[in-house]
Amino acid sequence: MNLSGKVDQDDIVRARNVLLASGHRTPHEEVDAYRVLAQVSPVSYLPRLVKALQRLSYDSSSGERHAACPALREEAVAAARTIDPAEPARADLLYEALDTCQRELYTQGRRAEGHAMRAEMLAIGRAQAELSGNPAVKGLRDWAAGLSEEGRYAEAADALTEWVGAALDDAGRSGEALAAFETLVSMQAVEAANDRCSMACHDAAGEFGPALDDFCQALSYLGEAN
């Protein structure tokens, strides 16, 4: 998508007619129209293009991926990155586009590229958490999963501790949760190769709820991987 080039006026008219037409338009026609209009009015049409590209990449009604799904999702990320940083909706749009694209990249085995996008998602999540004062950081869980798949188990455990700790902090149980996490992480480091970590995790999960259960399952997985 080239936002700097000149756009033919006939193309602009056709694009507007497609969007204004009362009849049915296909997702492909919609994307083509937004591609043209985003070059003319990026503030108004870039966010719509990002969403339209993601809709086109996967047909929710049929449950089938578009043949050009990877390219469409990468185009959605590129479009989202060009949205003015001052636009309030930019962070959420970019995060969603990155999330959709990184899943596709991992499916294709392009793990390094997918992991890089997860790092970008985490940066967005941290910035939003800092602005809102909410301890929950979007992207931590996916980031931790990527770390564990790369064999960076200690970093993955730290990320999971932060993720679940924030969830339980929201529930008003931060003190006991953090104490439990410290114990679990210590166990992970010392007893990674034995089943006691998994048993302790499941016992703790029964007390602290589903969020901690996810944390424990991840720790158990890390222990098995070690």
Side-chain angles (χ1 to χ4, degrees):
M1 183 181 62
N2 179 13
L3 296 180
S4 61
K6 292 183 179 180
V7 185
D8 186 272
Q9 289 300 312
D10 290 339
D11 289 340
I12 295 173
V13 171
R14 280 193 291 270
R16 286 176 174 158
N17 286 339
V18 166
L19 298 178
L20 292 173
S22 57
H24 177 71
R25 63 176 179 263
T26 67
H28 193 281
E29 290 173 333
E30 187 176 60
V31 164
D32 282 345
Y34 286 141
R35 281 173 174 150
V36 171
L37 296 175
Q39 298 178 66
V40 179
S41 181
V43 172
S44 298
Y45 289 102
L46 269 176
R48 300 179 195 183
L49 174 60
V50 173
K51 293 181 179 179
L53 285 164
Q54 292 185 85
R55 286 195 297 269
L56 178 60
S57 72
Y58 187 86
D59 185 349
S60 58
S61 60
S62 67
E64 296 181 357
R65 294 163 67 256
H66 192 285
C69 178
L72 290 167
R73 292 183 175 179
E74 289 184 64
E75 184 182 351
V77 170
R81 285 174 174 154
T82 61
I83 295 174
D84 188 339
E87 169 58 45
R90 180 184 186 271
D92 286 334
L93 284 167
L94 178 54
Y95 185 95
E96 182 181 347
L98 287 165
D99 190 20
T100 303
C101 190
Q102 63 89 12
R103 295 177 192 277
E104 181 65 24
L105 291 173
Y106 269 94
T107 298
Q108 292 184 325
R110 296 163 60 185
R111 307 172 72 84
E113 294 169 84
H115 193 64
M117 287 195 175
R118 287 182 179 182
E120 193 172 350
M121 289 165 57
L122 181 59
I124 292 171
R126 290 200 184 284
Q128 289 184 319
E130 184 176 351
L131 285 174
S132 67
N134 187 334
V137 176
K138 291 193 305 184
L140 265 175
R141 186 175 186 177
D142 285 332
W143 177 244
L147 290 172
S148 70
E149 289 166 3
E150 291 187 355
R152 296 161 63 180
Y153 304 121
E155 293 173 78
D158 288 343
L160 285 166
T161 298
E162 181 182 355
W163 172 64
V164 184
L168 292 180
D169 184 61
D170 281 346
R173 306 183 67 181
S174 58
E176 56 186 318
L178 289 174
F181 296 155
E182 289 176 3
T183 300
L184 290 170
V185 172
S186 296
M187 290 172 63
Q188 169 62 21
V190 175
E191 304 176 46
N194 103 28
D195 291 337
R196 283 179 291 169
C197 179
S198 177
M199 293 174 61
C201 283
H202 285 295
D203 290 343
E207 180 178 353
F208 292 115
L212 184 54
D213 187 42
D214 284 340
F215 174 80
C216 292
Q217 288 177 22
L219 282 183
S220 296
Y221 168 76
L222 296 180
E224 291 168 5
N226 275 332

